[in-house]
Amino acid sequence: MKKTLIAVAAAAALTATSAFAEITFGAWLRSALIPVAYDGEDYLGGLTQSWGGAARTAVLGVNGVSEDGMAGFTFEIRNQAGEGINMGDRTVAWLKPIEQLKLSVGKFDGGDNGFRQGTGFGVWDYVRPSRTTSLFFNGDDGIMDSIGGDGFMAEIFPIEGFKVMVNVPFLSMVDKKDEDGNYVQQYKDGKWETVLDKEPGVQHAYDIYKKTQIGAAYTIDGVGELKVLWTNVSEEEEVGTKKYNDVGNLGIAFNLSAVENLNLAIGAKFDISDKEIDPDGNKAYFAAKASYNVSDAITFNMVGGIKLFKNDDYDPKWGIGAGVDYVVMDGLTVNADIRYMSETKVNGNGSEDDSLSFLVAAAKTIGSNASLGVGFEGATNGGGFSTFDAAKNDAFAWCVPVMFNLSF
């Protein structure tokens, strides 16, 4: 999201001080018009965005920073076609008691803690082939996870190049009611549930602190960055006659910057649990992405991942993808990529068939703040897209996305 300076100095209101702040406005918008698509049985069409859901047609992001840089805020609202105005990805207030410590409270987006790292390229900026093909190796958090939501975050910078982050998921203590008039509260696994055993809007301290995220990152000058992140403690769950707890997930990632024109990231995620049984058998996941700039005009991308399982009944799942971005001339870029996954599913049903998806597209810059892209995408063997499933396991699905991208 670009930030446009509207008011260089805005006097602080409702105070007797003469403090000033820098106020900036920004927006990042994306809409995908699909004039025609095919799910293997019917022809479809609609308006959406890359990751599915309603098109993001208007956003207002306001950022304020005090003159001394020791306090500030971020506020976002957005309009998505067909849904009306709603809260944006973040609304945060922050301050720095000292230069080495930043404290924030509010609603955070998934990447605000600085640890999330993805593997997307090419088709990730069009309509993503991720709804039914589960392209686990390709996404906003393909290399390293992160979790957004309400809460408190402390970022500590003890020495140059080293950062420690703690994110505690305090939720808003706001009374809310469901359609039946019962008080509800978002306190368990990110879902609103009826609360009968405590006052509305109140959380048990144990439920809060056990889901704390903890991360550390260290940048080695001229070499790269190493990151470690602990996330995802869940509630106790019961499956059949047995109970299990998810103690958490450990993520490790490294970004190599030592080789000129090469961006390389590798990541690993591990379930750390005391489960008696494991419903999905998930044990470990490894992913890598590499981008190499052959010249100012050509960039090659590669990505791959594998997911291993504790349960011998589950075979490993793996995928690989490659693509190229070519700047034909100033303001005109063509993209092409192809991806393979060892297993797919259709409408929630498992399939042992593999799936191949591909994209060919071209994007034209419009002025200094926008671009218009048009592509053709396909997916074999029941592979679908973020906006629709394939109709059957052996279907070849395709779509023609027209992408509107704006950034201010």
Side-chain angles (χ1 to χ4, degrees):
M1 178 185 292
K2 292 184 179 179
K3 297 178 181 178
T4 302
L5 183 63
I6 302 298
V8 175
L14 303 178
T15 70
T17 70
S18 58
F20 285 79
E22 181 180 275
I23 306 296
T24 59
F25 294 78
W28 179 76
L29 311 173
R30 174 171 293 171
S31 299
L33 171 65
I34 303 180
V36 62
Y38 183 64
D39 68 358
E41 288 186 352
D42 298 313
Y43 289 94
L44 312 171
L47 186 63
T48 182
Q49 55 193 7
S50 292
W51 51 95
R56 185 168 296 182
T57 52
V59 171
L60 175 62
V62 184
N63 298 276
V65 181
S66 62
E67 188 176 25
D68 57 13
M70 301 299 282
F73 71 90
T74 295
F75 166 71
E76 292 184 8
I77 58 174
R78 64 189 179 208
N79 183 289
Q80 299 194 161
E83 292 185 351
I85 296 176
N86 55 61
M87 182 182 293
D89 291 329
R90 57 183 61 81
T91 173
V92 178
W94 59 268
L95 53 83
K96 291 183 175 181
I98 57 175
E99 189 62 41
Q100 294 79 21
L101 175 63
K102 181 179 180 181
L103 305 177
S104 306
V105 292
K107 178 192 176 186
F108 303 105
D109 188 28
D112 288 348
N113 63 19
F115 284 81
R116 180 176 70 182
Q117 185 166 354
T119 55
F121 60 85
V123 74
W124 209 244
D125 295 324
Y126 285 80
V127 176
R128 301 173 183 175
S130 57
R131 183 178 175 92
T132 54
T133 54
S134 300
L135 291 175
F136 52 86
F137 61 88
N138 188 3
D140 291 334
D141 55 2
I143 298 293
M144 176 158 278
D145 288 329
S146 67
I147 301 174
D150 296 339
F152 161 78
M153 183 160 59
E155 297 169 270
I156 307 165
F157 309 90
I159 60 174
E160 184 177 357
F162 184 54
K163 170 185 174 178
V164 177
M165 181 279 305
V166 178
N167 189 355
V168 186
F170 292 97
L171 304 177
S172 297
M173 297 179 69
V174 178
D175 295 353
K176 296 182 181 294
K177 294 183 178 181
D178 61 19
E179 58 186 9
D180 297 321
N182 298 315
Y183 284 109
V184 295
Q185 176 197 356
Q186 188 179 5
Y187 78 103
K188 182 178 180 181
D189 294 337
K191 299 178 181 178
W192 289 102
E193 296 188 355
T194 301
V195 179
L196 300 176
D197 62 340
K198 51 183 177 288
E199 294 298 319
V202 176
Q203 298 169 261
H204 291 308
Y206 174 75
D207 291 332
I208 299 171
Y209 290 105
K210 77 175 185 178
K211 297 182 180 180
T212 297
Q213 296 182 77
I214 302 173
Y218 182 62
T219 300
I220 306 170
D221 189 35
V223 177
E225 181 185 33
L226 177 65
K227 299 185 288 187
V228 180
L229 182 65
W230 177 269
T231 61
N232 260 3
V233 176
S234 70
E235 303 289 341
E236 181 179 83
E237 297 185 33
E238 187 171 330
V239 178
T241 60
K242 298 183 179 181
K243 294 181 178 180
Y244 71 91
N245 286 297
D246 222 357
V247 175
N249 298 93
L250 177 66
I252 303 172
F254 181 72
N255 303 310
L256 178 69
S257 58
V259 180
E260 186 177 3
N261 298 323
L262 174 66
N263 292 313
L264 174 65
I266 56 176
K269 306 173 189 178
F270 305 93
D271 279 355
I272 310 297
S273 66
D274 59 357
K275 300 174 182 177
E276 296 181 35
I277 59 172
D278 195 334
D280 65 3
N282 192 6
K283 180 182 180 181
Y285 161 87
F286 303 89
K289 180 200 172 184
S291 295
Y292 183 71
N293 299 320
V294 178
S295 66
D296 292 339
I298 301 176
T299 300
F300 287 109
N301 303 287
M302 290 195 68
V303 64
I306 187 169
K307 187 180 287 187
L308 307 176
F309 299 89
K310 294 178 182 177
N311 192 329
D312 292 337
D313 294 335
Y314 292 85
D315 293 327
K317 295 182 180 181
W318 63 278
I320 190 168
V324 61
D325 306 325
Y326 176 54
V327 180
V328 179
M329 62 181 67
D330 188 29
L332 178 62
T333 301
V334 296
N335 310 95
D337 66 57
I338 188 166
R339 300 157 198 271
Y340 171 85
M341 201 185 82
S342 62
E343 182 179 322
T344 186
K345 64 176 75 172
V346 176
N347 296 321
N349 298 315
S351 169
E352 295 182 357
D353 291 333
D354 54 6
S355 180
L356 192 70
S357 64
F358 64 86
L359 162 79
V360 289
K364 177 69 172 66
T365 299
I366 309 296
S368 58
N369 297 87
S371 68
L372 181 66
V374 180
F376 180 80
E377 303 177 37
T380 68
N381 286 344
F385 300 93
S386 60
T387 53
F388 65 91
D389 294 333
K392 49 190 177 181
N393 285 351
D394 60 352
F396 174 70
W398 55 265
C399 66
V400 178
V402 180
M403 307 301 301
F404 292 72
N405 294 287
L406 297 87
S407 183
F408 298 94

